């Protein structure tokens, strides 16, 4: 669909929602991004979905295959009924009182909304919703439901966030694969992403310990958990193999980051390796800047 067609469709939607003349609706739509941070509730969007009649839109090449849509006043565009229901399902734990904000809009293509720290892409040409990385304006999906950032923005998490995600991912693996085959618990690419992000924060020990104890078992409790000595030994061997593998990945990642940086970002000292407890771009803990106090997610500008 051409940009002009999408623009006219969006203006018609604004006309229908407000009752204004076409020219006034077009002018108001032109200034709509400044109002995009206005909050609304999920139940208000559901009320629109339940009461608004089907709308006719020009789907261009998708004519005859486009989904049934209604003109949403809240989102200022045509929205598939099924997309709203998918969003409600994704926000089931938050409930219908979840507060939503429009982050960006491409009429008849997609809309990005935020719900607290969570971000969703609503596909407006299909009945689909994708959860996005929690980094504002990032177009990518998270690694998975447990690791809530994309691979590019994992390193932006602090050590506590990384440790929490590592523990949840390890527990998910443990639940899926069980204790009967501990050799299958190691080697996941998701664990590699988490540990590489941990290296960037100088948090290898904290994150790897969280992952290993959730994925395998706390080494101090293995003998209490397993009555069979062979099963306990298998678990210990699997845990140690994964620990060694993660250490190797972490050392390689730290070496790569040091080589890229060349010298300490603060004092200019040549980087020779200060251990995995220090971010590899710095020569010592003294040069590591304190963490910035980031504003709350909802306080970020919408565009």
């Amino acid at each position: 669909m051409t940009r002009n067609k999408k623009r006219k469709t969006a203006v018609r939607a604004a006309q229908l929602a407000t009752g204004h003349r076409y020219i006034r609706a077009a002018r108001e739509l032109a200034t709509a991004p400044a109002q995009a941070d206005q909050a609304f509730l999920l139940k208000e969007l559901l009320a629109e979905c339940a009461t608004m009649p089907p709308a006719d839109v020009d789907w261009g090449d998708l004519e005859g295959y486009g989904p049934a849509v209604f003109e949403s006043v809240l989102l200022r565009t045509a929205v598939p009924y099924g997309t709203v229901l998918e969003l409600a399902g994704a926000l089931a734990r938050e409930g219908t009182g979840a507060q939503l904000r429009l982050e960006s809009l491409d009429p008849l293509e997609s809309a990005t909304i935020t719900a607290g720290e969570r971000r969703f892409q609503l596909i407006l040409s299909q009945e689909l919703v994708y959860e996005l990385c929690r980094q504002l304006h990032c177009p990518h999906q998270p690694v998975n439901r447990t690791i809530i950032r994309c691979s590019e923005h994992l390193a932006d998490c602090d050590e506590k966030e990384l440790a929490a995600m590592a523990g949840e991912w390890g527990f998910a693996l443990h639940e899926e694969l069980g204790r009967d085959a501990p050799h299958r618990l190691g080697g996941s690419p998701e664990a590699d992403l988490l540990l590489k992000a941990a290296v960037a924060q100088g948090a290898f020990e904290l994150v790897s310990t969280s992952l290993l104890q959730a994925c395998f078992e706390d080494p101090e409790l293995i003998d209490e958990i397993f009555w069979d000595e062979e099963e306990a030994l298998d678990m210990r061997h699997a845990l140690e193999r994964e620990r060694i593998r993660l250490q190797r990945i972490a050392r390689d990642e730290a070496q790569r980051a040091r080589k890229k940086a060349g010298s300490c970002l603060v004092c200019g000292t040549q980087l020779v390796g200060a251990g995995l407890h220090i971010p590899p771009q710095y020569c010592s803990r003294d040069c590591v800047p304190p963490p910035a106090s980031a504003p709350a997610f909802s306080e970020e500008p919408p565009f």
Side-chain angles (χ1 to χ4, degrees), residues 103-123:
E103 179 183 309
S104 64
L105 173 64
D106 184 4
L108 297 186
E109 295 291 342
S110 67
T112 300
I113 65 165
T114 63
E117 293 187 352
R118 300 176 73 183
R119 300 173 62 245
F120 296 90
Q121 183 181 41
L122 281 57
I123 306 301

Side-chain angles (χ1 to χ4, degrees), residues 4-135:
N4 285 340
K5 285 184 177 180
K6 288 192 289 186
R7 173 68 179 171
K8 290 177 181 178
T9 300
V11 174
R12 287 199 299 269
Q15 255 192 302
L16 180 64
T18 62
H20 295 159
R21 286 178 169 273
Y22 184 92
I23 294 177
R24 181 178 175 183
R27 287 174 178 171
E28 291 177 346
L29 190 65
T31 61
Q35 306 169 0
D37 62 339
Q38 293 180 351
F40 56 93
L41 301 179
L42 174 60
K43 62 184 177 183
E44 294 175 319
L45 184 60
L46 285 170
E48 282 191 338
C49 180
T51 58
M52 294 294 284
D56 292 326
V57 298
D58 180 3
W59 289 111
D61 294 339
L62 291 177
E63 196 65 43
Y65 297 95
V69 298
F70 66 95
E71 299 288 358
S72 170
V73 176
L74 296 170
L75 294 179
R76 302 193 305 277
T77 188
V79 182
Y81 293 97
T83 296
V84 174
L85 297 179
E86 286 285 327
L87 177 64
L91 291 171
R93 290 187 178 181
E94 288 81 353
T96 58
Q99 189 176 80
L100 311 180
R101 291 180 184 273
L102 181 64
E103 179 183 309
S104 64
L105 173 64
D106 184 4
L108 297 186
E109 295 291 342
S110 67
T112 300
I113 65 165
T114 63
E117 293 187 352
R118 300 176 73 183
R119 300 173 62 245
F120 296 90
Q121 183 181 41
L122 281 57
I123 306 301
L124 304 180
S125 58
Q126 302 178 58
E127 296 179 335
L128 293 174
V129 172
Y130 297 113
E131 185 154 3
L132 297 176
C133 170
R134 298 195 180 186
Q135 183 72 26

Side-chain angles (χ1 to χ4, degrees), residues 201 266 279 282 285-294:
Q201 298 289 341
V266 173
Y282 304 96
R285 181 60 66 181
D286 292 337
C287 282
V288 179
S293 55

Side-chain angles (χ1 to χ4, degrees), residues 151-160 162 191-205 207-208 246 249-258 260-261 265 271 275-285 287-289 291:
S151 57
E152 179 182 347
H153 288 118
L154 263 183
D156 294 333
C157 299
D158 62 31
E159 58 183 27
K160 291 183 179 179
L162 289 171
D192 298 358
L193 289 173
L194 286 166
L195 267 297
K196 288 179 180 179
V199 168
Q201 298 289 341
F204 169 78
E205 194 62 36
V207 175
S208 63
L246 293 178
I249 289 173
R251 286 194 295 269
D252 291 345
E253 177 64 14
Q255 183 178 3
R256 183 198 65 78
R258 284 194 296 269
K260 181 179 180 180
L265 298 182
L271 295 171
L276 297 175
H277 62 292
I278 296 173
Q281 299 87 354
Y282 304 96
C283 64
S284 67
R285 181 60 66 181
C287 282
V288 179

Side-chain angles (χ1 to χ4, degrees), residues 162-181:
L162 289 171
M165 283 188 280
E168 291 178 8
W169 174 242
F171 181 76
L173 281 177
H174 190 85
E175 288 292 293
E176 178 184 355
L177 301 176
R179 299 175 181 171
D180 297 332

